[in-house]
Amino acid sequence: MDLQLFWFVLIGVLWAGYFLLEGFDFGVGMLLPFLPRTERERDVMFETIGPVWDGNEVWLVVAGGATFAAFPTWYATMFSGFYLALLLILVFLIIRVVSFEWREKGHTPGWRAVWTTANVVGSVGASFLWGVALSNLVHGVPLDSDGGWAGSFVDLFSVYTVLGGISVVLLFAFHGATFLTVRTTGDLCVRAGRAARRLSLPAAAVGAAFLVWTVVVAVDRNDKDVFPPVVPCALAIAALVLALVFVQRRRSGLAFAATAFGAVLLVATLFTSLYPRVLVSSPDFGNSLTVDNASSSHYALAVMTVVALIFTPLVLLYQGWTYYVFRARVGGDGPDPAEPAEILPGPAESA
């Protein structure tokens, strides 16, 4: 395989892993104001992601490092042009990280409420801006003839990119709700299932609209054919529809798997719509950055490939082991429910 293509695919896989794993982390944070009725239930929600959230962030760090090493021009242009947006994302991530630690430093209701709110704000803000940022890769940004940034912060926001941000927020919230149905017990699990059912239709509808529009943008602004971007697009829409069906039928495990596939396939749609470019230039399409004019030397890519082939499986094994160790359900008032009964509606909902 061509090394430039290999590293483009690998970076896409890293982003897909980040959306898959950090997606439900963010989703749990977004649901903190709505699901728990007691402080203990709020603690349980934090405990479901407590052992893994920092490991999930590694996917983002490695994706950024891989971009810097394999496509330095892409990295330089993106980080200079998206500087304010990425700075805001960093602020949201810092706020969120601090909230995990500082929330446990005090036990007064006010103190805990402040840091719970910080986690919510960080989760929503980072998710929205990631959606906006990745959408801009395909939609196009102003670049000069040297591939340098020639726009402003406002240029990052259009109807399409804002829709991308909203769709990511809804998808992550839906993904977080299905995650809680397989990680919690008792009344909290019931309410998580209820939230998943309420989120399923807007997440599927908005996500499908964004995915279809992404294919249209790829054809219109990136000189792509409908095939192959339509393939991951169709699969992603199918995954979201299946997730909707599964949550309605109280099949929590299958619903979580479907939202996970939806998150991965959303990234696959964006990257398939992008290749062979890594950053589309608009309005001057000729200034776009491609895998050819933005990549490192062949020797550098070859050395990096050897390192990646050695260490990537080790990282995957370690993270898989972590999830296996912390696979048990957390908290709840009743016994561990069996699927599909764990998200059966309560008496109030049935009425």
Side-chain angles (χ1 to χ4, degrees), residues 18 33 38 40 59 67 90 94 161 170 209 216 245 251 256 311 317 342:
Y18 180 68
T38 65
R40 172 56 190 155
W59 290 79
T67 304
L90 182 61
I94 291 173
T161 59
L170 287 173
V216 173
V245 172
R251 302 302 301 271
F256 175 66
F311 288 101
L317 286 172
E342 71 270 35

Side-chain angles (χ1 to χ4, degrees), residues 295-320:
S295 69
S296 297
S297 68
H298 179 82
Y299 177 77
L301 293 177
V303 172
M304 291 161 48
T305 301
V306 173
V307 174
L309 292 175
I310 293 173
F311 288 101
T312 301
L314 296 177
V315 173
L316 293 175
L317 286 172
Y318 175 76
Q319 191 154 34

Side-chain angles (χ1 to χ4, degrees), residues 209-277:
F210 171 68
L211 288 160
V212 171
W213 199 350
T214 297
V215 176
V216 173
V217 167
V219 172
D220 183 52
R221 302 174 72 94
N222 195 27
D223 195 27
K224 295 282 292 186
D225 293 327
V226 172
F227 181 85
V230 71
V231 175
C233 171
L235 292 174
I237 293 173
L240 294 176
V241 172
L242 285 174
L244 186 155
V245 172
F246 289 143
V247 296
Q248 299 302 326
R249 295 184 177 181
R250 278 70 168 176
R251 302 302 301 271
S252 57
L254 292 175
F256 175 66
T259 56
F261 277 112
V264 169
L265 289 167
L266 183 146
V267 177
T269 302
L270 288 169
F271 273 74
T272 307
S273 300
L274 184 59
Y275 184 81
R277 276 152 285 278

Side-chain angles (χ1 to χ4, degrees), residues 97-303:
V97 168
V98 171
S99 72
F100 282 104
E101 303 297 332
W102 282 54
R103 183 176 177 274
E104 302 302 321
K105 302 298 183 182
H107 299 284
T108 62
W111 175 271
R112 290 202 153 205
V114 166
W115 294 110
T116 298
T117 302
N119 194 286
V120 176
V121 171
S123 299
V124 175
S127 300
F128 175 77
L129 288 176
W130 279 134
V132 170
L134 292 184
S135 301
N136 268 288
L137 301 180
V138 180
H139 187 260
V141 293
L143 301 179
D144 59 29
S145 58
D146 296 321
W149 176 258
S152 65
F153 178 70
V154 178
D155 292 320
L156 298 178
F157 296 92
S158 65
V159 177
Y160 167 72
T161 59
V162 169
L163 179 64
I166 295 172
S167 67
V168 169
V169 169
L170 287 173
L171 175 58
F172 284 179
F174 185 24
H175 192 31
T178 60
F179 172 76
L180 287 172
T181 64
V182 298
R183 290 286 284 121
T184 59
T185 64
D187 290 342
L188 181 59
C189 182
V190 172
R191 291 195 295 277
R194 199 172 300 158
R197 292 192 291 277
R198 291 171 178 169
L199 285 165
S200 60
L201 182 58
V206 175
F210 171 68
L211 288 160
V212 171
W213 199 350
T214 297
V215 176
V216 173
V217 167
V219 172
D220 183 52
R221 302 174 72 94
N222 195 27
D223 195 27
K224 295 282 292 186
D225 293 327
V226 172
F227 181 85
V230 71
V231 175
C233 171
L235 292 174
I237 293 173
L240 294 176
V241 172
L242 285 174
L244 186 155
V245 172
F246 289 143
V247 296
Q248 299 302 326
R249 295 184 177 181
R250 278 70 168 176
R251 302 302 301 271
S252 57
L254 292 175
F256 175 66
T259 56
F261 277 112
V264 169
L265 289 167
L266 183 146
V267 177
T269 302
L270 288 169
F271 273 74
T272 307
S273 300
L274 184 59
Y275 184 81
R277 276 152 285 278
V278 294
L279 184 57
V280 175
S281 175
S282 178
D284 193 342
F285 182 69
N287 294 337
S288 299
L289 298 180
T290 68
V291 293
D292 292 323
N293 64 23
S295 69
S296 297
S297 68
H298 179 82
Y299 177 77
L301 293 177
V303 172

Side-chain angles (χ1 to χ4, degrees), residues 15-31:
W15 276 106
Y18 180 68
F19 269 48
L20 164 64
L21 299 176
E22 194 70 350
F24 64 70
D25 274 6
F26 285 140
V28 170
M30 295 176 200
L31 296 172

Side-chain angles (χ1 to χ4, degrees), residues 58-92:
V58 171
W59 290 79
L60 173 63
V61 175
V62 176
T67 304
F68 171 76
F71 300 99
T73 305
W74 181 18
Y75 179 92
T77 301
M78 186 167 60
F79 272 71
S80 61
F82 294 14
Y83 177 78
L84 285 178
L86 294 175
L87 180 62
L88 283 174
I89 290 174
L90 182 61
V91 170
F92 284 130

